[in-house]
Amino acid sequence: MGKGLTSRADDYSAWYNEIVEKAGMAEHSGVKGCMVIKPYGFAIWENMKEILDGMFKATGHQNAYFPLFVPKSLFEAEEKNAEGFAKECAVVTHYRLKNDPENAGKLMVDPEARLEEELVVRPTSEAIIWNTYRKWIQSHRDLPLLINQWANVVRWEMRTRLFLRTAEFLWQEGHTAHATKDEAIEETEKMLEVYADFVENFMAIPVVKGIKTESERFAGAEETYCIEALMQDGKALQAGTSHFLGQNFAKAFDVKFADSTGKQEHVWATSWGVSTRLMGALIMTHSDDEGLIVPPNIAPLHVAIVPIYKEEDQLNAIKERFQPIMEELRENGISVKFDDDDQKRPGWKFSEYEMKGIPVRVAIGQRDLDQGCAEVARRDTKEKASVQLENLCEYISKLLGEIQTNLFERAKNFRSENTHEVNSFEEFKEVLNYKGGFISAHWDGTTETEEKIQELTKASIRCIPYKAKEESGHCILTGKPSTKRVLFAKAY
RNA sequence: CGGGGCGUGGCCCAGCCCGGUUAAGGCGCCUGGUUUGGGACCAGGAGAUCGCAGGUUCGAAUCCUGCCGCCCCGACCA
C-alpha cells in the first residue's frame, strides 16, 4: 500500500479512484467494466442494505427473487422500456461450449448449441416481474402487491468507473402493483421519502427531492421522482429514483384484476431503486485528502483502539484495562476493534484507519494508562481529546452522534454554498464554469430548450424540486415565461 | 464505435528507440535482531513461462505480424 493520496485539488478523479482502492473498498477485476467489491467495501454496502431492507419491510414490502435472464420476447413487450435499454443489453445466445478441434486445450462456443430464443441479461426486471405478476394478481384482494428484490443487473456501459458506473452492479428494485392510480402515486412518493430518509439520516448526504423532466425520465415510466446529491467537485449525482409506471406494464403484460364490482381493470404500477452507486456518493460527499470518511450510522467499524507499548506486559495491562470498556461499548451497539497487531507500528495504523474512514480512533500508551485516560481522535475533524477511561464509553457514544450530525451539516453547508440562483444565460455559463454546483434557474418547460442548454453547457436539469418556488420569470435561454425554477448541474 | 495508453516476481515499475553475460530498483513477503506516542531500521533470503501465438536472427523483454486483455479520453448512460 502506497502512502498518501492524490489531493482533490490536484486531480479529483485520481483522488476518487485511489480512495476506492486504498481504503479497500473495490478494485478493477479481470473482467472489462466489472469490479470486485472487497470485504471492507462490501461491509459498508451490507450495512446500507440491512438498514434499507428494514425500512422496506416496515413499509409493508416483502423480498423475492426473480431470474437473471429474460427471454427476448418478454423483454420487448413493453416497448418504451425495451427501447430505452436496448443499446446496453448483454445477450445470451448459446448454452454450451466444446473443445476446439483446431486448438488443443481451448474451448469454443458450440455452434450447435444456439438458443432458440436469446436471453437478455436483466438491465432491470420489470419484464420478468410483470410477466409473473399476471399470474399472481386476479382480484383487488391481491392488491396492493409490494415486492422488493436485491439483485445484480447488467448494463453494457461504454465507459465505467468504480461504483459510479460499472457493467454489473448491485441494487434493490421494488416493484409494486396497486388498484388505483392515486395509490400507486402515493407509493412512488412514499418510497422516495424512504430513500431521502435513509440517505440523509444514515449516509449523512443531503438530497434534493424532485421530479425528472421528460428526457431524464425512466423508459416506460409516466413520472420519475428522484433524490439528487451534490458532490465535492460540484457535480450532481442521482442517489435514488422512484417511478410511477402508470398502467404501461400492466397493459403490456396484461395484468388485470377484478374490482369490487367484478369489473376487470389494469393495475397501476411503481418501481424504485438504489444501487452500489451510493458508495460513490458516500466517498464524494464526505471524504478528504487523508482518505474515506464513513458516517457512524453506516460504518462497519466505529472505534479502532491502538495500543502503544514497549513490553508485552504493557500491552497486557492495556488489554486488561480495555476489556470492560470494550464490553460496555459493544453493549451500546458500538463496534470496536482492539488492534494488537505487533507487525504494524502505531503510526502506520493511524494512517490506515484514517484511510478507511473509521469514525473514532483511540490511542493508549503507558503515559495515558498512568493517568487513567486515553487519546480519542475523531475522523471528521481530526480533533484529538484526552478522555478519562471511566468516561470513555459515554464520551464515544456521544461523539459518534456528533460526527454523524457534523458530517450532514458540513455537506449541507457545502451544498448551500454551491447552489446559485441565476437569471440569465450569461450568468448561467459563468457560474457553471467558475463555481459549478447546483444552478437554480427558469426554464420554459420544453425538451428542445433543455437539450440545447445541455449541448451548450454540458449541464442538465437534475430535477424540478418539490420545493421549487412559485414565481414568475423567464427562461434563461429562450426568455419565454416560466412559473418556477428548476435545478441544473453537470452530473455523474 | 472512434482516439490514445499499457501488459516485465504479489504490487508499482526500469530496461525496448539502438537485439548480446546472471532482467535493475522500490514496496510487499519470509528469517533473525533492534524497535513501537503519526506510514521504523539493520542483516540475510525467497520469488519472473518478460500478456499469448507465430516470424526474423547464431542470439529476442527488445525487431516484425497477428491475437488477447485491461485502463484512459470522446459519443451513450443509474
Side-chain angles (χ1 to χ4, degrees):
Chain A
M1 171 121 14
K3 267 166 116 174
L5 283 175
T6 300
S7 74
R8 284 164 292 182
D10 282 352
D11 186 341
Y12 189 83
S13 163
W15 167 82
Y16 175 84
N17 290 330
E18 287 173 24
I19 284 203
V20 172
E21 294 214 16
K22 292 185 175 178
M25 300 176 86
E27 62 188 34
H28 289 287
S29 68
V31 187
K32 187 181 169 62
C34 297
M35 64 179 164
V36 173
I37 303 177
K38 297 176 74 174
Y40 185 58
F42 202 76
I44 297 173
W45 174 243
E46 279 181 313
N47 280 351
M48 292 166 51
K49 214 173 133 172
E50 197 187 317
I51 295 159
L52 278 167
D53 201 63
M55 293 173 121
F56 298 154
K57 287 179 180 151
T59 42
H61 303 84
Q62 288 182 298
N63 284 330
Y65 186 79
F66 295 85
L68 172 68
F69 302 117
V70 186
K72 187 166 83 56
S73 58
L74 267 189
F75 185 75
E76 65 199 6
E78 205 293 321
E79 278 178 44
K80 278 191 185 143
N81 188 256
E83 236 182 84
F85 284 107
K87 295 185 300 292
E88 44 188 334
C89 285
V91 184
V92 180
T93 55
H94 292 75
Y95 59 87
R96 192 165 63 209
L97 298 173
K98 65 173 194 177
N99 290 320
D100 185 346
E102 288 169 18
N103 225 334
K106 303 285 183 193
L107 293 171
M108 60 183 284
V109 172
D110 186 345
E112 308 276 291
R114 178 166 265 282
L115 288 169
E116 271 180 46
E117 181 178 4
E118 292 87 355
L119 297 172
V120 175
V121 179
R122 62 178 168 216
T124 179
S125 303
E126 272 79 3
I128 187 72
I129 286 179
W130 284 96
N131 187 55
T132 308
Y133 282 4
R134 181 177 54 243
K135 291 179 277 185
W136 291 2
I137 298 169
Q138 275 115 43
S139 149
H140 68 279
R141 292 175 190 177
D142 299 322
L143 298 172
L145 182 59
L146 307 173
I147 303 285
N148 175 64
Q149 85 164 340
W150 290 95
N152 58 339
V153 287
V154 170
R155 295 181 188 174
W156 213 260
E157 300 291 349
M158 297 298 155
R159 249 185 86 191
T160 57
R161 286 196 72 190
L162 293 169
F163 288 120
L164 295 174
R165 180 167 297 109
T166 47
E168 180 192 15
F169 58 93
L170 305 182
W171 76 348
Q172 59 67 217
E173 44 182 327
H175 297 273
T176 68
H178 306 265
T180 66
K181 178 178 179 179
D182 285 352
E183 208 184 286
I185 291 176
E186 192 186 313
E187 166 81 4
T188 312
E189 290 171 351
K190 183 200 285 174
M191 296 322 287
L192 193 79
E193 292 300 326
V194 166
Y195 288 154
D197 177 12
F198 169 73
V199 172
E200 295 202 326
N201 295 318
F202 290 86
M203 300 190 70
I205 301 173
V207 294
V208 176
K209 292 177 272 193
I211 293 172
K212 286 292 187 190
T213 59
E214 191 184 342
S215 67
E216 297 269 330
R217 193 179 290 158
F218 176 68
E222 297 284 308
E223 199 80 88
T224 289
Y225 297 65
C226 63
I227 48 173
E228 294 284 327
L230 187 63
M231 304 295 102
Q232 290 183 55
D233 62 345
K235 285 169 82 174
L237 187 140
Q238 179 177 300
T241 50
S242 181
H243 315 289
F244 167 59
L245 301 173
Q247 293 176 307
N248 295 339
F249 285 90
K251 284 177 180 162
F253 291 92
D254 197 30
V255 184
K256 288 190 225 162
F257 70 101
D259 68 14
S260 53
T261 66
K263 205 170 101 210
Q264 291 288 313
E265 300 273 8
H266 284 112
V267 300
W268 296 84
T270 83
S271 70
W272 27 274
V274 298
S275 71
T276 37
R277 192 178 217 208
L278 280 176
M279 299 282 284
L282 173 74
I283 297 165
M284 291 195 290
T285 301
H286 301 304
S287 305
D288 62 20
D289 290 349
E290 268 66 53
L292 185 66
I293 297 179
V294 188
N297 287 358
I298 55 161
L301 178 63
H302 295 121
V303 183
I305 300 168
V306 179
I308 298 158
Y309 57 94
K310 290 189 170 60
E311 311 295 335
E312 188 86 2
D313 50 334
Q314 288 180 339
L315 173 63
N316 288 335
I318 295 169
K319 239 184 207 168
E320 203 175 313
R321 183 64 188 85
F322 265 80
Q323 208 52 52
I325 297 173
M326 291 201 293
E327 272 171 37
E328 196 188 349
L329 285 165
R330 289 190 179 119
E331 278 163 19
N332 282 276
I334 297 166
S335 62
V336 198
K337 176 181 168 184
F338 186 89
D339 190 349
D340 60 353
D341 182 353
D342 195 34
Q343 305 305 305
K344 304 274 190 282
R345 299 168 85 252
W348 193 93
K349 294 177 184 175
F350 292 173
S351 303
E352 184 66 9
Y353 290 125
E354 273 159 22
M355 187 63 81
K356 287 192 140 82
I358 311 301
V360 174
R361 181 193 72 226
V362 176
I364 170 108
Q366 194 61 48
R367 240 162 42 200
D368 304 293
L369 203 57
D370 291 343
Q371 294 167 35
C373 63
E375 179 198 81
V376 179
R378 55 190 285 184
R379 177 65 184 85
D380 60 339
T381 62
K382 301 217 230 22
E383 286 164 343
K384 294 174 187 175
S386 187
V387 179
Q388 289 297 310
L389 292 179
E390 57 269 28
N391 300 334
L392 200 59
C393 180
E394 198 193 331
Y395 182 89
I396 288 175
S397 182
K398 206 172 133 224
L399 183 59
L400 288 170
E402 273 173 36
I403 293 172
Q404 183 74 30
T405 308
N406 178 50
L407 287 173
F408 183 69
E409 289 304 321
R410 196 155 90 174
K412 215 164 141 184
N413 288 339
F414 176 85
R415 189 184 65 183
S416 0
E417 280 160 20
N418 290 282
T419 301
H420 305 280
E421 279 195 3
V422 310
N423 296 305
S424 74
F425 195 53
E426 282 312 307
E427 204 187 336
F428 183 92
K429 286 189 286 191
E430 205 180 304
V431 170
L432 196 66
N433 280 335
Y434 294 108
K435 298 176 180 162
F438 281 135
I439 301 182
S440 177
H442 282 283
W443 161 63
D444 66 17
T446 68
T447 302
E448 297 73 50
T449 302
E450 183 183 6
E451 278 170 1
K452 188 83 188 168
I453 292 173
Q454 180 158 14
E455 195 189 310
L456 293 170
T457 66
K458 301 271 180 198
S460 53
I461 299 178
R462 300 324 303 151
C463 70
I464 304 161
Y466 277 4
K467 287 192 204 154
K469 290 185 207 165
E470 283 294 332
E471 63 170 34
S472 58
H474 299 281
C475 173
I476 49 159
L477 190 71
T478 63
K480 288 181 190 161
S482 145
T483 60
K484 58 174 110 166
R485 291 174 181 271
V486 299
L487 216 47
F488 287 88
K490 288 185 184 169
Y492 276 99

